[in-house]
Amino acid sequence: MSTKKSPEELKRIFEKYAAKEGDPDQLSKDELKLLIQAEFPSLLKGPNTLDDLFQELDKNGDGEVSFEEFQVLVKQISQ
Ligand SMILES: [Ca+2]
Ligand SMILES: [Ca+2]
């Protein structure tokens, strides 16, 4: 993956999309979708769907992705 982002950029991106609705510190599925489509569309190419990605990220199953849970994606992106 060629889209490298610094941790600061990724935090800014997370905060920008997490603040769109509901809890400003958590990404809902809709917010994650907007984030991925706008910033990392290449993550949804191939077999990965947004549902798969969301399930993978939402470790505690509360239906939202916290910044801590988002780190899994950050690691994938920065690989
Ligand atoms: Ca939110
Ligand atoms: Ca969660």
Side-chain angles (χ1 to χ4, degrees):
M1 189 148 316
S2 59
T3 15
K4 295 227 169 170
K5 305 249 190 231
S6 70
E8 291 75 25
E9 277 178 296
L10 287 161
K11 186 155 201 305
R12 261 207 320 275
I13 289 170
F14 176 89
E15 286 171 348
K16 178 177 157 192
Y17 288 91
K20 286 187 184 294
E21 61 175 34
D23 190 327
D25 297 322
Q26 305 262 346
L27 282 175
S28 66
K29 196 185 274 189
D30 282 346
E31 288 168 336
L32 181 72
K33 186 177 169 187
L34 291 172
L35 188 158
I36 297 293
Q37 284 176 342
E39 310 288 344
F40 310 108
S42 59
L43 285 180
L44 290 182
K45 290 194 179 120
N48 276 345
T49 66
L50 184 80
D51 284 337
D52 293 336
L53 189 62
F54 191 84
Q55 250 180 356
E56 193 191 327
L57 292 178
D58 184 18
K59 291 265 182 266
N60 67 359
D62 67 353
E64 307 237 54
V65 173
S66 65
F67 188 66
E68 198 189 323
E69 289 170 339
F70 186 67
Q71 296 308 308
V72 174
L73 188 67
V74 169
K75 286 198 190 90
Q76 283 181 19
I77 292 164
S78 48
Q79 261 169 14

